[in-house]
Amino acid sequence: MIILSFDHLSKRYGQTTALDDVSFDVPNGEIFGLLGPNGAGKSTLIRILMDIIRADSGEVRVFGESRRRDHLDRLGYLPEERGLYTKQTVIDVMMYFGSLKGLDRADARRRALEWLEKLELPQVATWKIDRLSKGMGQKVQIASVLLSDPELCVLDEPTTGLDPVNVRLVQDLLIERRSHGRTTILSTHHMNQVETLCDRVALINKGRLMVYGEVDEVRRRYSLPEVFVRAHGPLPPVPQVASATESEAGTWRLRLADGAPPADVLTALVSRGAVIDRFEPALAPMEDIFLRVVGEAHV
Ligand code: ADP
């Protein structure tokens, strides 16, 4: 099921084309990576979804309907610009965010405390916001967005500036959201995070959709025909392998002959007596794909 569709969205600011006929779908229950270099049009797309600005043309559909204002109660948004009302206490700010999404006071309070616990910040509930460190403030802001348990939420660089322990904590919360069928759009420049966390990606450059698909499928699409093999003893020559490079003792990178399916190579090697304990098609790193797609578009 599709929870969100962008349908032929275009947006110009004066002479600048921020979005140029962008269409793609976000399936329900996924962690979806929204990628692109600075100025690509990601924020413009998100702001249109959140009804902060209007598209010149095209349509946004959420929850199977043309996007209406009252859908916003079911959406969450962590903008790139951080900032909370500094003179208020953490619990008051969090309860305010909850009330914006229709929670009553008691429910908002209960959830705020629960979320502070989840983010390992139970002690800060009564603190004024300006006493929080930058990282703590960021976690409070993330918690403020997630506490209403939005069906669809957009997080713009949620882990930037956090230490590795807190990065892991936030990632685990997103995985937990996914296990409950919630959908998260993650705008990020951290390509490792995309590989480990995201089910699917859309890569935008200069207002255009350049790459879309499941992460593994996209990585396969941009990969060279290579496999990594770890074996005991020598690797017998087989016609499906064009060349083999031993990177360290017992570990090879094999370039496959044109059109040879990796499964056939494995079968051929094993039938000629190879003892293999790892066989893995080499997937292109997301970072290489990003650089290639964005770099080619600069030419
Ligand atoms: P991203 O979020 O991917 O960095 P943006 O959506 O912010 O990209 O920007 C896309 C393009 O639109 C950029 O060229 C940017 O300079 C331009 N742009 C964004 N907002 C405005 C605005 N309010 N006025 C004029 N130009 C804008």
Side-chain angles (χ1 to χ4, degrees), residues 1-4 25-32 183-184 200 212:
M1 200 195 105
I2 302 301
I3 193 165
L4 168 67
D25 293 336
V26 177
N28 197 16
E30 291 193 350
I31 300 178
F32 186 99
T183 311
T184 305
R200 191 181 299 265
Y212 171 86

Side-chain angles (χ1 to χ4, degrees), residues 118-134:
K118 275 186 193 235
L119 283 162
E120 297 175 356
L121 288 175
Q123 75 280 17
V124 307
T126 55
W127 290 17
K128 292 249 169 68
I129 293 289
D130 58 10
R131 196 178 147 193
L132 300 173
S133 71
K134 197 156 164 262

Side-chain angles (χ1 to χ4, degrees), residues 168-228:
R168 181 60 68 84
L169 188 65
V170 171
Q171 287 184 350
D172 286 347
L173 292 172
L174 302 188
I175 291 169
E176 187 187 319
R177 259 179 72 74
R178 175 168 59 191
S179 72
H180 295 146
R182 300 310 196 203
T183 311
T184 305
I185 297 178
L186 187 64
S187 179
T188 180
H189 294 304
H190 300 279
M191 294 300 136
N192 289 343
Q193 201 168 63
V194 173
E195 288 173 10
T196 54
L197 212 54
C198 293
D199 301 287
R200 191 181 299 265
V201 288
L203 169 51
I204 296 175
N205 190 36
K206 296 184 178 167
R208 294 198 169 174
L209 181 68
M210 307 296 286
V211 177
Y212 171 86
E214 288 180 44
V215 172
D216 285 352
E217 188 274 313
V218 166
R219 293 181 65 192
R220 268 197 299 277
R221 209 189 304 161
Y222 283 86
S223 295
L224 296 169
E226 291 184 337
V227 292
F228 292 113

